[in-house]
Amino acid sequence: MADRDTLPLPLEVRTRLAELELELSEGDITQKGYEKKRSKLIGAFLPQAPGKGMDPSVPHERRTPVTPGSSSRYHRRRSSGSRDERYRSDVHTEAVQAALAKQKERGKMAVPMPSKRRSLVVQSSMDAYTPPDTSSGSEGEGSMQGEGTPTSSQSSINMENWISRAIHGSTTSSTTSSSSTQSGGSGAASRLADVMGQTHLENHSAPPDVTSYTTDSIQVERPQGSTTTSRSTPKYGNAELMETGDGVPVGGRVSAKIQQLVNTLKRPKRPPLREFFVDDFEELLEVQQPDPNQPKAEGAQMLAMRGEQLGVVTNWPLSLEAALQRWGTISPKAPCLTTMDTNGKPLYILTYGKLWTRSIKVAYNVLHKLGSKQEPMLRPGDRVALVFPNNDPAAFMVAFYGCLLAEVVPVPIEVPLTRKDAGSQQIGFLLGSCGVTVALTSDACHKGLPKSPTGEIPQFKGWPKLLWFVTESKHLSKPPRDWFPHIKDANNETAYIESVMNMMHVISIPYSLMKVNPLSWIQKVCQYKAKVACVKSRDMHWALVAHRDQRDINLSSLRMLVVADGANPWSISSCDAFLNVFQSKGLKPEVICPCASSPEALTVAIRRPTDDSNQPPGRGVLSMQGLSHGVIRVDSEEKLSVLTLQDVGTVMPGALMCVVKPDGVPQLCKTDEIGELCVGSIATGTSYYGLSGMTKNTFEVFPMNSVGALISEYPFTRTGLLGFVGPGGLCFIAGKMDGLMVVGGRRHNADDIVATALAVEPMKFVYRGRIAVFSISVLHDERIVVVAEQRPDSTEEDSFQWMSRVLQAIDGIHQVGVYCLALVPSNTLPKTPLGGIHLSESKQLFLEGSLHPCNVLMCPHTCVTNLPKPRQKQPEIGPASVMVGNLVSGKRIAQASGRDLGQMEDNDQFLFLSEVLQWRAQTTPDHVLYTLLNCRGTIASSLTCVQLHKRAEKIATMLAERGHLQDGDHVALVYPPGIDLIAAFYGCLYAGCVPITVRPPHPQNIATTLPTVKMIVEVSRSACMMTTAVICKLLRSKEASAAVDVRSWPPVLDTDDLPKKKPPLLYKPSNPDTLAYLDFSVSTTGMLAGVKMSHTATSAFCRSIKLQCELYPSREVAICLDPYCGLGFVLWCLCSVYSGHQSILIPPSELEVNPALWLLAVSQYKVRDTFCSYSVMELCTKGLGLQTDSLKSRGLDLSRVRTCVVVAEERPRIALTQSFSKLFKDLGLHPRAVSTSFGCRVNLAICLQPHRLGKLADQGTSGPDPTTVYVDMRALRHDRVRLVERGSPHSLPLMESGKILPGVRIIIANPETKGPLGDSHLGEIWVCSGHNASGYFTVYGDEALQSDHFTSRLSFGDTQTIWARTGYLGFLRRTELTDASGERHDALYVVGALDEAMELRGMRYHPIDIETSVIRTHKSITECAVFTWTNLLVVVVELDGSEQEALDLVPLVTNVVLEEHYLIVGVVVVVDIGVIPINSRGEKQRMHLRDGFLADQLDPIYVAYNM
């Protein structure tokens, strides 16, 4: 503070200035007002300064790297400063504001605000919260930025312009800082400009819709009754209202925000990086290459610094115990410790005599009164926990010395407040590993511990079982006169795991008193004329805030004001501000003594008061850009990003100190390099108890010089502090190892980032001292996370604005991007005992998704720069070279076929199903074909061959008479799953009409389900509808007319009222290629597609299934499927008539009432073959999971089941089938019984895997078990199939989709070039078979679409065969297994629908893979769906939990998709359970979800737009 003395300011002016500064720091006055008043006050006293930047005495030509030689220059101060009154943190605040202004010039921020449900907003404004204790705890408590950092509070007032001569950087290195924002930093916010005007949206058209409707079909396949467990129907429809022709939405809040995000992200990213490292496959993760211009260390190698000799004093006590004995007997009345109550009155004075006698008493009781005489609980050398509150130091001191006298090792720990304190497990681990069984505590503390109802102290989380022992004298027995403790000499045994020596009098001021009266410590210094005060920056800051009303303060007695957290670089602000205010109260500048300490090395360095007040302390104004590269450069021109450091004195007496590189071998740093300080001294800790590996790395370090020679034979201890030794042996600390974050090869210190965040309008939105900064590892680099406690009164917009400004500020000052910025409600971050933030616990909560933030802003687009290069599509190779290439590499062309259909049997001579039914009615009239079960498992109705024939005849008569229908007219059958549907179907065939089965509208949900019915009826051009009386009534109801125009229905026939007479003549079809029926279904992409099935195809289909499943009249098959389309319809309506077996029909909707219905029926009827859907399997797995024992006792037995086939049009859900198999294994289900089938629109069943178990394998057509393979997910993105071992990283399990049906041929083709592919390629599955559908039935008759899908030819190879394209990607694998004919078995693996696959960064992703990763990431995510919108990946998750958890999911989802799929999520949408639409087959309707999201119809809990 020498400068201030050069200005002859009168005392009253100084006082007024100090008050002004305080007003500014408290926010009572604006910066402008402050400057105006200040210049008025001191204008008259200010001399004109010569040169503003550099000391005129230093020549400009060359700045040399620091060496101890330049120390004289280092200490010289600028002769005068124009603005020397300002504090360090004001400078930082100004720098931050300047950086923000810079960013503003580059372009307006366009960060889209997240959308939040109102209920969530209300809760986070938390009026009920008590404001947290902003004091934040001490730095030693594991809080990352202990209180002293700007975190807690001092940065509001600070001093700056002590420009140092310090460490002059070399000329080359200082040029980089200007370019850094463009290259090294994540110009995070700088790129977020609003370029709405000029962006051009790529035309992402919606998939072509087969129907005339756009998306009314959104509900088409909603399971009405079936398997809707807890799903309510989505609340959105009519998405066509908001789409333009090319699928780009017109309106809607959501799409505008996404557009804003897209525009923002179109800003140029950083220049591309040149080299990549291979991550095991073709996806190359970019590696940050060092910038050739970055500053490098140029100084000479440093030398170890030696502290002064430790003098030997004669007649000094040999150990602490001896000192206590001496002072306790020589001057028993001398005060040792005075404690204060919360009013600042002395509560208790402990004299040396009392300390001595009480310690002896504790020692005696600990050794003799615990356990029995023969088996004492404690022996010398055992460890004992000391649990005392910090406001009772006297009791602690007595217990501590009692332990030393008893020769047991005290382990002081914090008082546990609740059973689940932050960090409680770590303390438990410490106690357990130290073998602690006894805890000493005070009476008051013992009473305050949490108790169980029986009054016992519970076991704390992770703690060993402890005996609690109270140390107050009244509870102890007196030691016998002849008992005396053993006083040891000082030796190497462990003394303890931390004033008596010098016989000092210590006045202890508890934290609770400081909170009530922040000036209490200063008052005690005056009252006791104390020579030494030991404080933290927080205490100085509090005193500054409160000192105004105090007049009679005199600090002239102080010889040392030890600043315990002086090693924190930001403590300098408090020191300077404190001196500035209290110099007028007798405080001498040289008295302020910052010291550096660490738990391992204890006191590392301390500045000692000098007699020469003219030699000011060392200062360095260092460039943060240089520090991030690990080198020391005096800031020359940047001025924005600087860190001002003060020295913490010289090396401790008797110690050696050196600085080693922070990572790798402990090699000495150069003089201008930052490293970790290491101390070689007998006065450091010696080990971590019980952790030998960590001990070796920390306490047994042997630093080496550049040639690899050890600098000392004695080990050094790592201090955990980062810094350097400056000229004159002064130590400077720039940060801590545990706050060090290495991002993209550059180092950043958590404390510095906290300071920058706080400089952005700090007090308005967040609490000082309640900010946590840490890094997490995502995708091979560290990512910075900032978490702050938000004030309850700040609005959403304010907080969001503040967050985006913090991002810009950190980017501007540190040139680094923040990956995630989260705000949590006040008082919710885990605390250390003194109120600081428990950092490791906060990080843990963040990683496991239980931090519950109220605001989150993720910036992966701006931070993550090491993604693999986008894949460039190679120009296609010619057909011939592909053939040759495959031959040369020994790969076969991927093709396979089922076995031949073989010779005909009786019923196979019929070309038409109607003829088969008539034949059965004549030959086996009373054979039961169908049995329908109700929800109680009893038979609701059944049909024999002749009954079915007779009902069909009556329906045919009705169609002819009442419907006046001609041959070939279309009839819509609107029936619930059951027998009426089957009779109506055959009635149509008898009448020569074409039936279309339609799911009836759901009575509880007419508004969304009826339009679908209407659409199918219209699109299929049905001439009339047939249905039951109940549904007839429903179609004419008021609700129905509100949903659709009921007048435009075709005629509706009620089949409950059938004519009595037979038809004159049954229709005889003549041409087997005419239409038998139409099959309508909604694909997962939301397209309604109807396909035409001819009589030939229908018969071939039934025959193929009959052969594959060995179906005969004597067999029974249980079917639990929806009978409206695909294989489900064929099994329900057609197969029994064709093969003659009995079908036991179980409508899936009945399982909602009785989940065990299906399995009980299978068991009761001793069924060997059963078919179900994934929805049914999921319902059983979830609904019966806990009931297997009760089912067993009811006699449920599944041991006869040999095949349980899941009917599906998707990739087999391996996790579901496995958990189903495991769950019901106890009920006799054979693990190999469960398999899947695969069908699609062009061919309703391509694969179907019946199993043969045990002896059955020898009979006939046994198929092998379905095989599971593991493929490399990264290779799959490049359309390549690479098999890997189970459990290898990036492996994806795929289950074979079933055995290829007889008469079916398959080939894998390239969907773009239509060329055949080899075995190792992923391609489109093409199928050639007699039961292929014959085309789409469309209103427009879109011939091009039809011919392509149903009549494709290969571009080379076998160009004659006509194939149908399934629209699914998959691959074939020849397995080692053989089937009955001795042929090698070809397994087909379905990977996913081509329409659903997402092209991102040139690679092909399947939504299900990303969804699987996301669902695994948090227990509350029950379902997930992903889709893309304008190249942004949107992830929708259903939350099963409180809305408070919604924001926890955003970082977790973003992390997992980055780690496992190398993709950046653009938008995360959190919704309620049941919002993701699912069709009757249990498949997600992702395109409907997308339309609903863009039309803003999802009512999301939270929408986060990642930057």
Side-chain angles (χ1 to χ4, degrees):
M1 300 311 328
D3 308 356
R4 185 153 311 110
D5 301 336
T6 60
L7 295 183
L9 290 182
L11 191 61
E12 62 274 15
V13 174
R14 283 181 170 203
T15 318
R16 183 71 195 101
L17 273 177
E19 283 176 6
L20 261 184
E21 240 130 37
L22 202 64
E23 281 174 29
L24 177 67
S25 75
E26 294 289 275
D28 301 339
I29 181 175
T30 64
Q31 182 77 32
K32 205 168 173 186
Y34 161 77
E35 278 166 8
K36 203 166 165 190
K37 288 188 177 175
R38 185 176 172 282
S39 52
K40 216 172 183 176
L41 270 172
I42 60 171
F45 305 97
L46 265 184
Q48 295 312 304
K52 215 171 149 183
M54 293 287 279
D55 185 313
S57 62
V58 178
H60 274 266
E61 31 332 357
R62 167 122 177 88
R63 298 194 290 276
T64 53
V66 190
T67 48
S70 56
S71 66
S72 56
R73 233 187 279 161
Y74 190 72
H75 285 305
R76 215 172 304 136
R77 312 261 304 155
R78 216 167 37 174
S79 54
S80 115
S82 50
R83 295 161 61 224
D84 58 335
E85 290 290 356
R86 298 180 339 142
Y87 299 139
R88 174 69 209 116
S89 68
D90 299 353
V91 177
H92 194 63
T93 306
E94 270 175 36
V96 167
Q97 298 306 331
L100 287 172
K102 246 194 201 175
Q103 301 269 19
K104 217 176 193 129
E105 290 160 25
R106 291 192 205 143
K108 188 168 145 277
M109 275 288 279
V111 185
M113 269 276 293
S115 323
K116 201 182 262 194
R117 190 177 281 174
R118 297 263 33 100
S119 56
L120 213 58
V121 178
V122 175
Q123 279 171 314
S124 62
S125 75
M126 295 292 182
D127 307 318
Y129 268 126
T130 48
D133 170 9
T134 57
S135 57
S136 147
S138 71
E139 147 216 10
E141 281 143 24
S143 69
M144 176 174 70
Q145 56 289 356
E147 38 27 24
T149 57
T151 29
S152 41
S153 14
Q154 52 302 22
S155 62
S156 52
I157 347 187
N158 275 350
M159 173 78 181
E160 118 307 10
N161 268 341
W162 32 63
I163 283 295
S164 67
R165 285 297 60 73
I167 312 176
H168 291 305
S170 61
T171 39
T172 53
S173 59
S174 55
T175 55
T176 57
S177 47
S178 53
S179 66
S180 58
T181 321
Q182 286 76 35
S183 58
S186 95
S190 63
R191 282 186 295 285
L192 304 180
D194 194 350
V195 285
M196 297 292 267
Q198 58 266 38
T199 45
H200 153 71
L201 241 183
E202 300 99 81
N203 183 349
H204 280 268
S205 53
D209 201 328
V210 191
T211 70
S212 61
Y213 290 72
T214 9
T215 37
D216 268 0
S217 56
I218 203 154
Q219 261 59 35
V220 172
E221 287 274 20
R222 199 66 173 137
Q224 256 106 54
S226 75
T227 64
T228 41
T229 39
S230 58
R231 291 183 172 272
S232 56
T233 310
K235 311 168 190 60
Y236 46 87
N238 296 343
E240 77 267 28
L241 303 178
M242 43 70 65
E243 287 217 1
T244 55
D246 55 3
V248 175
V250 194
R253 226 172 44 222
V254 179
S255 28
K257 279 191 178 162
I258 294 189
Q259 189 52 56
Q260 191 183 1
L261 184 58
V262 170
N263 297 341
T264 294
L265 299 175
K266 276 192 180 146
R267 297 302 303 280
K269 280 283 271 277
R270 252 166 256 115
L273 300 169
R274 288 169 301 290
E275 292 190 38
F276 310 89
F277 68 81
V278 178
D279 183 19
D280 186 25
F281 189 61
E282 332 199 323
E283 304 210 63
L284 307 161
L285 285 173
E286 297 197 0
V287 189
Q288 200 94 28
Q289 288 304 311
D291 174 1
N293 299 325
Q294 75 179 37
K296 295 186 176 59
E298 296 161 2
Q301 186 171 320
M302 75 159 299
L303 304 167
M305 295 296 198
R306 192 175 287 283
E308 62 184 68
Q309 281 297 308
L310 205 51
V312 178
V313 186
T314 48
N315 79 12
W316 197 251
L318 290 169
S319 63
L320 274 176
E321 297 95 311
L324 175 59
Q325 180 186 12
R326 180 182 296 184
W327 310 131
T329 45
I330 296 176
S331 21
K333 293 278 190 298
C336 167
L337 177 75
T338 303
T339 60
M340 301 290 164
D341 63 13
T342 43
N343 303 317
K345 302 275 182 295
L347 177 69
Y348 186 78
I349 297 176
L350 181 68
T351 60
Y352 278 95
K354 278 186 198 159
L355 176 60
W356 169 237
T357 53
R358 286 183 189 173
S359 302
I360 289 181
K361 204 170 181 184
V362 168
Y364 173 75
N365 279 269
V366 160
L367 288 175
H368 295 87
K369 295 295 174 188
L370 297 177
S372 63
K373 266 206 170 113
Q374 289 71 36
E375 265 308 307
M377 261 185 89
L378 291 177
R379 301 171 186 275
D382 285 352
R383 271 77 50 203
V384 175
L386 303 192
V387 186
F388 290 89
N390 58 10
N391 58 3
D392 189 3
F396 171 77
M397 209 163 170
V398 168
F400 180 83
Y401 283 102
C403 288
L404 293 191
L405 293 175
E407 297 181 67
V408 296
V409 179
V411 183
I413 59 168
E414 295 290 353
V415 178
L417 302 174
T418 64
R419 287 197 56 185
K420 291 197 178 99
D421 275 2
S424 145
Q425 260 174 308
Q426 288 100 311
I427 290 180
F429 175 73
L430 168 76
L431 298 178
S433 62
C434 294
V436 172
T437 53
V438 175
L440 307 188
T441 187
S442 67
D443 213 1
C445 182
H446 188 260
K447 288 193 175 103
L449 288 170
K451 304 273 194 309
S452 67
T454 56
E456 293 158 23
I457 293 172
Q459 193 146 350
F460 296 102
K461 194 173 160 195
W463 284 33
K465 203 162 168 42
L466 296 179
L467 171 73
W468 293 85
F469 186 71
V470 176
T471 57
E472 254 82 352
S473 276
K474 59 183 180 195
H475 298 286
L476 304 179
S477 36
K478 235 174 153 178
R481 287 176 181 261
D482 55 351
W483 188 83
F484 198 74
H486 169 220
I487 303 290
K488 296 194 299 252
D489 299 342
N491 61 11
N492 288 338
E493 289 170 26
T494 312
Y496 63 104
I497 306 177
E498 242 133 281
S499 56
V500 169
M501 202 77 171
N502 295 13
M503 197 180 134
M504 295 192 293
H505 176 195
V506 177
I507 292 101
S508 159
I509 295 152
Y511 178 60
S512 46
L513 170 56
M514 280 294 293
K515 282 206 287 199
V516 180
N517 174 10
L519 276 178
S520 48
W521 71 270
I522 292 187
Q523 291 158 354
K524 296 298 166 247
V525 167
C526 302
Q527 182 185 337
Y528 288 93
K529 302 249 180 308
K531 291 197 172 62
V532 178
C534 182
V535 297
K536 292 210 152 145
S537 334
R538 175 193 62 202
D539 307 324
M540 296 161 78
H541 177 77
W542 283 4
L544 281 175
V545 175
H547 88 285
R548 281 179 227 185
D549 33 329
Q550 294 293 323
R551 292 283 169 263
D552 50 346
I553 290 178
N554 181 356
L555 300 180
S556 55
S557 66
L558 276 179
R559 192 172 61 80
M560 280 184 92
L561 176 59
V562 179
V563 184
D565 59 346
N568 184 326
W570 296 91
S571 62
I572 187 170
S573 356
S574 293
C575 295
D576 289 328
F578 189 79
L579 177 60
N580 186 41
V581 171
F582 286 99
Q583 200 163 5
S584 56
K585 315 261 174 150
L587 182 69
K588 300 186 276 292
E590 65 275 9
V591 160
I592 293 184
C593 299
C595 82
S597 62
S598 82
E600 292 77 13
L602 310 183
T603 306
V604 176
I606 186 164
R607 190 195 291 171
R608 285 188 266 172
T610 51
D611 309 328
D612 173 14
S613 59
N614 297 326
Q615 186 193 350
R619 287 274 150 104
V621 182
L622 307 185
S623 147
M624 279 196 186
Q625 164 77 359
L627 289 174
S628 75
H629 291 292
V631 298
I632 301 158
R633 292 289 176 266
V634 170
D635 181 72
S636 46
E637 71 286 315
E638 225 343 47
K639 277 290 165 279
L640 283 184
S641 41
V642 295
L643 183 65
T644 302
L645 300 182
Q646 60 180 353
D647 71 280
V648 287
T650 51
V651 184
M652 297 295 285
L656 260 178
M657 183 189 283
C658 65
V659 183
V660 301
K661 305 210 161 156
D663 31 25
V665 289
Q667 194 180 353
L668 287 184
C669 288
K670 296 181 174 168
T671 48
D672 59 343
E673 209 174 352
I674 295 270
E676 183 176 10
L677 272 57
C678 290
V679 175
S681 156
I682 53 167
T684 64
T686 54
S687 67
Y688 291 123
Y689 189 89
L691 301 172
S692 50
M694 286 178 68
T695 294
K696 205 166 184 56
N697 290 337
T698 306
F699 295 94
E700 299 167 23
V701 177
F702 290 93
M704 296 186 293
N705 58 22
S706 52
V707 294
L710 298 182
I711 62 166
S712 158
E713 57 189 305
Y714 297 110
F716 281 64
T717 298
R718 288 183 186 270
T719 61
L721 300 174
L722 289 166
F724 57 96
V725 179
L730 293 177
C731 302
F732 289 83
I733 309 293
K736 290 208 214 109
M737 281 297 283
D738 61 4
L740 184 68
M741 303 179 290
V742 183
V743 182
R746 290 173 57 225
R747 303 183 204 159
H748 302 277
N749 220 290
D751 288 343
D752 304 344
I753 290 195
V754 168
T756 302
L758 277 173
V760 182
E761 309 149 299
M763 308 307 277
K764 283 193 201 158
F765 307 112
V766 296
Y767 290 99
R768 289 203 102 75
R770 305 292 302 153
I771 294 190
V773 172
F774 50 84
S775 65
I776 58 173
S777 177
V778 182
L779 199 65
H780 306 292
D781 200 359
E782 287 188 41
R783 315 286 177 192
I784 296 178
V785 178
V786 179
V787 184
E789 285 190 0
Q790 179 181 350
R791 289 181 177 276
D793 45 3
S794 55
T795 67
E796 289 288 299
E797 283 76 13
D798 288 348
S799 308
F800 192 72
Q801 233 16 71
W802 181 79
M803 289 161 87
S804 37
R805 288 175 64 92
V806 166
L807 292 180
Q808 290 172 304
I810 292 175
D811 183 51
I813 300 279
H814 305 274
Q815 283 92 51
V816 68
V818 174
Y819 177 68
C820 176
L821 179 50
L823 295 181
V824 297
S826 45
N827 256 337
T828 54
L829 281 177
K831 289 192 172 119
T832 55
L834 285 187
I837 288 180
H838 198 294
L839 203 74
S840 59
E841 195 91 354
S842 303
K843 178 172 173 177
Q844 192 50 42
L845 290 176
F846 176 81
L847 286 173
E848 62 195 29
S850 30
L851 199 58
H852 307 329
C854 47
N855 265 312
V856 168
L857 182 54
M858 300 278 305
C859 303
H861 287 100
T862 40
C863 289
V864 179
T865 53
N866 62 333
L867 283 172
K869 248 187 170 162
R871 173 180 168 212
Q872 306 299 316
K873 284 272 179 6
Q874 301 304 323
E876 279 305 331
I877 308 148
S881 37
V882 172
M883 294 288 277
V884 173
N886 280 324
L887 287 170
V888 170
S889 59
K891 292 191 186 112
R892 57 186 206 109
I893 291 291
Q895 55 185 339
S897 51
R899 60 203 178 93
D900 288 339
L901 281 169
Q903 76 287 354
M904 295 278 185
E905 292 181 26
D906 303 355
N907 61 329
D908 298 339
Q909 77 253 10
F910 299 113
L911 291 171
F912 302 99
L913 270 174
S914 49
E915 293 175 351
V916 179
L917 178 56
Q918 290 162 41
W919 172 71
R920 289 205 184 278
Q922 284 162 359
T923 53
T924 53
D926 300 327
H927 175 64
V928 177
L929 286 179
Y930 294 103
T931 306
L932 178 73
L933 301 185
N934 60 20
C935 62
R936 291 185 301 285
T938 51
I939 296 177
S941 55
S942 63
L943 273 182
T944 61
C945 300
V946 73
Q947 285 169 336
L948 175 57
H949 170 66
K950 286 191 170 150
R951 279 201 68 181
E953 283 185 326
K954 287 180 181 163
I955 289 170
T957 310
M958 181 180 187
L959 283 169
E961 289 184 358
R962 295 190 200 161
H964 312 297
L965 296 189
Q966 312 296 309
D967 298 353
D969 276 348
H970 297 180
V971 179
L973 313 181
V974 187
Y975 288 94
I979 296 235
D980 290 339
L981 175 70
I982 300 168
F985 179 84
Y986 287 100
C988 287
L989 294 189
Y990 279 5
C993 297
V994 178
I996 297 110
T997 48
V998 183
R999 176 192 304 277
H1002 196 288
Q1004 268 80 58
N1005 198 355
I1006 285 186
T1008 48
T1009 54
L1010 191 61
T1012 307
V1013 176
K1014 183 97 170 33
M1015 191 196 328
I1016 296 178
V1017 169
E1018 286 178 10
V1019 170
S1020 64
R1021 300 205 209 121
S1022 297
C1024 93
M1025 296 165 66
M1026 286 204 291
T1027 184
T1028 61
V1030 176
I1031 294 173
C1032 256
K1033 208 165 150 193
L1034 190 66
L1035 293 177
R1036 297 197 180 98
S1037 66
K1038 256 206 316 251
E1039 294 86 0
S1041 53
V1044 299
D1045 176 9
V1046 280
R1047 287 164 311 189
S1048 59
W1049 286 117
V1052 180
L1053 301 179
D1054 167 9
T1055 53
D1056 288 353
D1057 168 30
L1058 286 176
K1060 297 283 179 282
K1061 56 182 183 180
K1062 271 175 62 171
L1065 199 70
L1066 288 185
Y1067 170 76
K1068 275 264 188 280
S1070 54
N1071 178 2
D1073 292 331
T1074 51
L1075 269 186
Y1077 70 97
L1078 288 179
D1079 184 302
F1080 271 88
S1081 113
V1082 175
S1083 74
T1084 47
T1085 51
M1087 282 168 42
L1088 176 68
V1091 294
K1092 301 187 280 197
M1093 288 296 287
S1094 68
H1095 287 286
T1096 315
T1098 309
S1099 302
F1101 197 176
C1102 292
R1103 182 144 186 263
S1104 189
I1105 290 175
K1106 174 184 169 182
L1107 285 173
Q1108 186 85 319
C1109 301
E1110 299 176 343
L1111 299 175
Y1112 302 105
S1114 57
R1115 300 282 297 279
E1116 288 179 345
V1117 174
I1119 293 164
C1120 189
L1121 290 166
D1122 272 324
Y1124 300 108
C1125 62
L1127 184 56
F1129 165 73
V1130 173
L1131 289 166
W1132 189 282
C1133 284
L1134 311 184
C1135 287
S1136 273
V1137 168
Y1138 189 88
S1139 310
H1141 62 275
Q1142 181 183 347
S1143 290
I1144 295 158
L1145 306 176
I1146 303 151
S1149 49
E1150 304 287 7
L1151 264 69
E1152 308 237 313
V1153 186
N1154 176 7
L1157 172 65
W1158 168 50
L1159 294 177
L1160 284 167
V1162 165
S1163 166
Q1164 180 188 340
Y1165 288 92
K1166 304 186 172 46
V1167 168
R1168 286 163 60 184
D1169 302 275
T1170 180
F1171 294 85
C1172 70
S1173 65
Y1174 280 124
S1175 330
V1176 166
M1177 193 169 265
E1178 195 161 21
L1179 204 84
C1180 291
T1181 312
K1182 287 183 177 164
L1184 305 175
L1186 304 170
Q1187 299 176 30
T1188 47
D1189 289 343
S1190 72
L1191 289 172
K1192 202 169 189 172
S1193 61
R1194 282 166 65 185
L1196 182 66
D1197 174 20
L1198 301 177
S1199 58
R1200 289 186 194 80
V1201 175
R1202 61 175 192 175
T1203 93
C1204 168
V1205 178
V1206 189
V1207 172
E1209 297 190 8
E1210 57 179 303
R1211 177 198 300 181
R1213 300 191 200 172
I1214 192 162
L1216 179 56
T1217 52
Q1218 282 176 351
S1219 52
F1220 179 81
S1221 302
K1222 269 192 201 131
L1223 187 61
F1224 296 106
K1225 189 175 157 203
D1226 292 350
L1227 298 174
L1229 182 69
H1230 194 286
R1232 294 202 311 242
V1234 180
S1235 66
T1236 69
S1237 73
F1238 170 64
C1240 60
R1241 291 285 71 204
V1242 297
N1243 185 316
L1244 303 179
I1246 295 169
C1247 306
L1248 185 63
Q1249 175 99 28
H1251 279 271
R1252 307 292 170 260
L1253 304 177
K1255 288 181 185 165
L1256 294 164
D1258 312 329
Q1259 304 162 12
T1261 59
S1262 70
D1265 301 331
T1267 48
T1268 298
V1269 294
Y1270 292 85
V1271 297
D1272 187 317
M1273 214 170 354
R1274 292 162 306 175
L1276 214 52
R1277 290 172 206 154
H1278 297 265
D1279 292 341
R1280 285 216 254 315
V1281 178
R1282 183 176 133 205
L1283 296 190
V1284 292
E1285 290 300 313
R1286 177 182 180 174
S1288 63
H1290 299 278
S1291 65
L1292 171 71
L1294 291 175
M1295 185 163 109
E1296 175 190 356
S1297 281
K1299 192 179 180 203
I1300 298 167
L1301 279 168
V1304 174
R1305 280 176 64 198
I1306 284 176
I1307 192 157
I1308 304 294
N1310 181 323
E1312 280 91 34
T1313 65
K1314 302 190 180 179
L1317 290 173
D1319 253 351
S1320 57
H1321 284 266
L1322 181 70
E1324 188 180 9
I1325 301 164
W1326 285 16
V1327 58
C1328 169
S1329 138
H1331 64 259
N1332 278 4
S1334 43
Y1336 284 125
F1337 180 84
T1338 57
V1339 178
Y1340 319 110
D1342 184 342
E1343 298 309 317
L1345 181 76
Q1346 177 181 334
S1347 67
D1348 185 26
H1349 279 201
F1350 290 88
T1351 54
S1352 283
R1353 295 172 192 259
L1354 290 173
S1355 56
F1356 58 92
D1358 165 15
T1359 53
Q1360 295 312 303
T1361 311
I1362 291 178
W1363 301 89
R1365 300 178 59 168
T1366 62
Y1368 281 83
L1369 293 168
F1371 60 93
L1372 282 164
R1373 274 316 272 193
R1374 175 147 279 188
T1375 61
E1376 293 308 308
L1377 302 164
T1378 53
D1379 50 28
S1381 58
E1383 289 290 307
R1384 293 273 293 286
H1385 169 65
D1386 288 308
L1388 173 68
Y1389 295 91
V1390 176
V1391 174
L1394 195 55
D1395 283 349
E1396 297 241 297
M1398 305 181 294
E1399 282 263 328
L1400 289 165
R1401 312 185 70 254
M1403 291 172 277
R1404 206 192 298 273
Y1405 286 88
H1406 298 276
I1408 184 70
D1409 298 327
I1410 297 174
E1411 290 158 0
T1412 307
S1413 300
V1414 169
I1415 288 171
R1416 270 204 319 262
T1417 184
H1418 193 276
K1419 61 181 187 307
S1420 301
I1421 299 178
T1422 54
E1423 189 52 275
C1424 165
V1426 303
F1427 52 82
T1428 52
W1429 175 247
T1430 58
N1431 284 334
L1432 281 180
L1433 179 64
V1434 181
V1435 177
V1436 181
V1437 292
E1438 289 185 355
L1439 169 70
D1440 175 17
S1442 77
E1443 292 186 352
Q1444 263 28 66
E1445 290 177 38
L1447 282 79
D1448 283 314
L1449 306 180
V1450 178
L1452 296 182
V1453 167
T1454 309
N1455 291 356
V1456 76
V1457 177
L1458 253 176
E1459 279 279 349
E1460 296 185 10
H1461 303 279
Y1462 304 160
L1463 286 178
I1464 293 178
V1465 177
V1467 185
V1468 180
V1469 188
V1470 184
V1471 295
D1472 297 309
I1473 292 184
V1475 169
I1476 295 172
I1478 287 195
N1479 68 14
S1480 58
R1481 293 186 296 274
E1483 298 162 340
K1484 295 172 201 166
Q1485 305 277 62
R1486 298 183 184 90
M1487 295 307 124
H1488 287 334
L1489 183 67
R1490 184 186 78 173
D1491 297 337
F1493 170 64
L1494 293 171
D1496 207 9
Q1497 296 169 336
L1498 300 187
D1499 182 28
I1501 299 169
Y1502 190 76
V1503 183
Y1505 300 94
N1506 284 350
M1507 295 312 305

